[in-house]
Amino acid sequence: MGQRKKAAAAATAVLLSASLMAGCSGDKNSTASSAPGSTAKSEKPIEIVIANNYNAPETDDNYVQKKLEEKLNIKIKNVKYERSSWREKFSVLLASGDVPDLFPVDVTETDMVQWADQGIIAPVPVEDIKQYMPNYVKALDAVDNTAWEIGLYKGQNYGVPRVYLGGLNGFLPAYNEQWLKKIGYTSTPKTLAEVEDVLNKFVNNDPDGNGKKDTYGLGGRGKLTNQLFPSIFAAHNVAPYQFRLGADGKAEYGGVSESSRAALKLLAKWYKAGYIDPEFITSDNNENNVKVANQKIGMLDNVQPGNTYLESGYIGKAAYEKGLSYIPGSIVSTDGQLHAVAYGARQAPILIGTDAVKDKAKLAKILQLLEYVSTTDEGWLLTQYGEEGNTYTKDPQTNLVTASTDPNKAGNKVGASGFYNMLGGVDRSKTKFNTKPVYDELAKKYYTDPGIKLITDLIGPTSLTSKPKYWTNLQTLQDSYFIKAILGEVNTDGDFDTYKANWLKSGGQEVTNEVTKVYEDRKKK
């Protein structure tokens, strides 16, 4: 880690601002210089500092880490964060001047612009990425060859471009199938009125049959606010944390639209009636899994069809092990269509610290590491599942991987599950290891056949000059109002107007104007 005074001073400003305002085996590359492990073993290992907030390994010097170090002649230093609290702690790290080599996966394009201006990150030459990551570049371009645009800032490329295949899937509601049958439903509710009826009966008709009124209808993921009740907002034809095209042909932020007002009004009504789990504010997917298993909630609405399959780590397995099953559905929107909120495939790039970029030998190693874990079968399986025969097995006929069910052999015990693989969801060829035909069948049944229309951001992830100035504060303003509105602490009439006015005058209008300009400029091309 470089002790860079300039970066430290700039990062201190970030911290102070944030505190005030409240992301195959056998595969070979074409050249020797780009092949992992091509460096002579007698050379001193290059240290790579990885800061990440995704599935941190339980211990340092774990199995996966050691294998990577041996393969590439590197020494890895782990900087681990929780996904729900990483940002503030990462700001503290930057403020100290300790700039890591690889940045957390949840950074945004707004972070990129801010850190680029402050010298914390530096441009990564595109030719270096193409030299040391040729297979990755092919895999990326096969999904979306415009993903390179996201890292473009002031005419230079920052980080390694990235896409996420899962972002092409939208969020749907899913229901406890046994509870639905118990209250007289033979299929999932199709309208908001039917959803309300289901929630009422999930609460008041003793669906678990224990003779107590101890169940809730709808659970939520309050720890990740942009996944908070997405299906209810989609039923109002809006993604509240994205921009959309307004009636006037200009950009409109979903979070200050009349559609969001209507959705919040309905959610507040449901919360007051006791239909929504009051712990939704502090819940994440893990907490909701427990509530699914314990039959405390009967509906979640941030679900993709594959999550309901019996092997899925979110909902499916938790329900199945208790003899339960969840089934996806869709809700007719206010415009008569079926919608689902989706992130889209394009994401902010994986960022690399300035000192690492300036050290050409280190940069080459970082890019070789990213190439190895994302595009070779050997590296991908190692970083996603761990040690074959211990933490996972692979069917020799189908190539499908089965993770061990032994808690003592969980992926994070050995450093697997993605901490070291920030680009593990890009190469489509790797789906041969974890995608059974049943997942494609579920996607067809619940996305394609019903004709689900995805709601994505008007311009997608884009480097905007206005966002770094205002976005943290604007997001805090929105999160606070939305939670209070659902809890009934503020109303969705006059208080919504006040919130909207505050959002716009606090920089929201400037950001919206820039989004409109980007949208109009793209239309001209």
Side-chain angles (χ1 to χ4, degrees), residues 27-32 34-36 131-135 368 371 375:
D27 287 354
K28 301 292 183 184
N29 294 330
S30 58
T31 64
S34 62
Q131 177 183 354
Y132 294 110
M133 302 183 67
N135 296 318
Q368 288 174 345
E371 167 86 344
T375 65

Side-chain angles (χ1 to χ4, degrees), residues 381-404:
L381 286 168
L382 172 69
T383 51
Q384 296 286 37
Y385 290 99
E387 182 181 10
E388 186 171 7
N390 179 27
T391 57
Y392 78 92
T393 57
K394 181 161 66 75
D395 189 306
Q397 301 300 320
T398 65
N399 277 323
L400 286 170
V401 169
T402 301
S404 173

Side-chain angles (χ1 to χ4, degrees), residues 440-494:
D440 293 330
E441 293 165 7
L442 286 168
K444 181 179 184 298
K445 181 176 181 179
Y446 294 105
Y447 285 138
T448 309
D449 291 349
I452 299 290
K453 299 180 183 299
L454 299 183
I455 303 175
T456 57
D457 191 83
L458 180 64
I459 62 172
T462 303
S463 300
L464 303 174
T465 57
S466 57
K467 260 192 170 183
K469 295 186 287 184
Y470 308 115
W471 205 245
T472 300
N473 189 42
L474 290 172
Q475 294 284 273
T476 301
L477 187 65
Q478 179 180 359
D479 290 349
S480 176
Y481 176 77
F482 272 40
I483 294 295
K484 289 180 179 178
I486 294 169
L487 297 179
E489 296 175 3
V490 296
N491 64 54
T492 50
D493 297 316

Side-chain angles (χ1 to χ4, degrees), residues 275-291:
Y275 300 162
I276 298 176
D277 173 21
E279 295 179 351
F280 80 88
I281 304 170
T282 57
S283 291
D284 206 343
N285 286 349
N286 289 334
E287 288 83 359
N288 285 331
N289 265 347
V290 173
K291 292 173 182 179

Side-chain angles (χ1 to χ4, degrees), residues 75-228:
K75 179 62 181 175
I76 296 173
K77 181 176 179 181
N78 304 314
V79 182
K80 301 177 284 190
Y81 298 106
E82 294 292 330
R83 203 164 193 184
S84 60
S85 59
W86 75 275
R87 185 170 291 278
E88 184 179 58
K89 294 176 181 178
F90 190 63
S91 295
V92 172
L93 180 72
L94 295 181
S96 73
D98 285 340
V99 179
D101 300 320
L102 282 167
F103 283 44
V105 294
D106 282 342
V107 301
T108 67
E109 67 277 7
T110 303
D111 296 322
M112 183 191 79
V113 170
Q114 193 167 19
W115 294 333
D117 285 342
Q118 295 164 342
I120 293 171
I121 59 173
V124 178
V126 172
E127 57 268 25
D128 285 1
I129 298 174
K130 290 182 176 180
Q131 177 183 354
Y132 294 110
M133 302 183 67
N135 296 318
Y136 177 79
V137 169
K138 291 176 185 176
L140 173 79
D141 288 349
V143 178
D144 187 349
N145 61 10
T146 68
W148 296 85
E149 296 174 359
I150 304 167
L152 257 164
Y153 180 57
K154 295 182 177 179
Q156 294 182 294
N157 175 73
Y158 285 85
V160 177
R162 175 174 57 141
V163 292
Y164 172 56
L165 296 175
L168 297 171
N169 299 325
F171 295 109
L172 299 175
Y175 308 84
N176 182 314
E177 187 174 18
Q178 288 69 35
W179 284 17
L180 282 177
K181 292 177 179 178
K182 180 77 178 291
I183 64 172
Y185 275 76
T186 57
S187 62
T188 60
K190 301 296 187 292
T191 65
L192 284 170
E194 288 183 354
V195 172
E196 184 170 311
D197 180 60
V198 164
L199 296 180
N200 172 48
K201 290 173 179 175
F202 277 178
V203 171
N204 295 307
N205 288 24
D206 190 25
D208 59 348
N210 68 353
K212 301 176 183 178
K213 187 178 178 180
D214 58 355
T215 54
Y216 292 99
L218 177 61
R221 193 180 185 185
K223 281 189 178 179
L224 190 62
T225 50
N226 64 2
Q227 273 191 34
L228 187 58

Side-chain angles (χ1 to χ4, degrees), residues 175-179 181 308 315-316 319-320 323-327:
Y175 308 84
N176 182 314
E177 187 174 18
Q178 288 69 35
W179 284 17
K181 292 177 179 178
T308 62
I315 297 182
Y320 177 76
L324 305 170
S325 56
Y326 268 66
I327 52 173

